Amino acid sequence: MPTRNSNLFPTVQEYKSDLAQAAELLNEAAALTDNASLKKFLTTRAAAFSSNDYYESDVAWMDLDAPLDITYGPYETYNDELFGYKAAFEAYVNLRDEKRIFTSGISGTASPGN
């Protein structure tokens, strides 16, 4: 039976220049915000892009209290059905409209006091 050789490279190694550019932009964005939790998330995620250690930035992401909901990096591991190690790298930014959410209760969000 023939064998197949494959080489696996960590994302931080394979996409080093792309991640360095993304980290620079995240640090620039962090410098522009007054929101402490957003600043912490952006700077720790930027650092994670070079260290490949996402724990601190994942904690900062869970503690994020900003009008922006940012997902940027490796998240979903359920597609790796063998070990659950590989994560999909994804990016999106959502802007919350707090006034609309709390006055209309859209998307199943409870109004204040409920």
Side-chain angles (χ1 to χ4, degrees):
M1 183 169 155
T3 61
R4 188 171 110 194
N5 293 329
S6 63
N7 295 317
L8 301 176
F9 300 97
T11 302
V12 69
Q13 180 182 342
E14 186 71 15
Y15 298 99
K16 184 176 183 173
S17 64
D18 294 320
L19 290 170
Q21 183 179 6
E24 184 178 327
L25 293 170
L26 289 176
N27 283 319
E28 287 178 22
L32 296 174
T33 185
D34 293 331
N35 183 295
S37 69
L38 179 57
K39 184 181 296 278
K40 182 172 183 175
F41 169 70
L42 294 172
T43 56
T44 57
R45 185 52 50 116
F49 283 173
S50 64
S51 70
N52 205 35
D53 180 357
Y54 288 88
Y55 181 78
E56 186 179 357
S57 67
D58 282 346
V59 171
W61 178 65
M62 290 186 292
D63 292 337
L64 189 60
D65 183 19
L68 297 174
D69 177 21
I70 300 175
T71 298
Y72 196 34
Y75 285 91
E76 312 304 340
T77 59
Y78 52 80
N79 289 326
D80 180 358
E81 296 178 5
L82 187 57
F83 296 111
Y85 295 153
K86 293 185 293 183
F89 201 97
E90 59 190 26
Y92 62 85
V93 177
N94 291 321
L95 175 62
R96 287 193 309 263
D97 182 348
E98 299 289 341
K99 183 177 178 183
R100 183 170 179 192
I101 289 171
F102 289 122
T103 58
S104 67
I106 63 168
S107 300
T109 304
S111 298
N114 287 346

